[in-house]
Amino acid sequence: MSEVDVLVNIRQAIEADKEKPNLGMVDIHKARELIEETGAVVLDVRPPAKVEGENAEEANVPNAYYVPVIEFVQQYEDGRIPQDKTTPIIVGCKLVKFANRVMGYLEALGYQNVYVLDTDIADLIELYKK
């Protein structure tokens, strides 16, 4: 992928994000709706040191994968990220900053339906334990 391709992808992502409420930031209720109605994939991107208890994959949140931000490239190359770039993806962490970073990585790679959970992913995990 060339620099021009990356810039095109970023430009398209910015335009797509403008169409999303809150520029793609979603609360746990909207995240649940995306998971249950569209089959959205959840990426728990917290670094291992920030995971208290189970990560989203271990907690059996539907369609959830634990992809620590520090392992993103390796996990991408290993195929743990959906290959279909139109798949809705919700990225979550503890304080949103790592999720925003991964959203940018995904959008630069050409992913079109990326959202960021606007709260601690532990809240989403707790929602699915009820």
Side-chain angles (χ1 to χ4, degrees), residues 45-84:
V45 299
R46 295 175 292 174
K50 298 291 183 183
V51 177
E52 297 170 9
E54 296 177 309
N55 63 52
E57 184 174 0
E58 292 169 338
N60 296 314
V61 172
N63 308 322
Y65 297 95
Y66 181 52
V67 180
V69 65
I70 58 175
E71 297 174 12
F72 178 81
V73 172
Q74 177 185 346
Q75 299 269 350
Y76 178 81
E77 291 174 341
D78 289 347
R80 298 241 322 143
I81 311 290
Q83 299 301 302
D84 179 355

Side-chain angles (χ1 to χ4, degrees), residues 1-14 107-109:
M1 180 178 296
S2 73
E3 184 177 325
V4 172
D5 293 332
V6 171
L7 290 173
V8 167
N9 289 345
I10 292 170
R11 186 172 288 116
Q12 289 172 341
I14 290 169
E107 289 178 338
L109 288 166

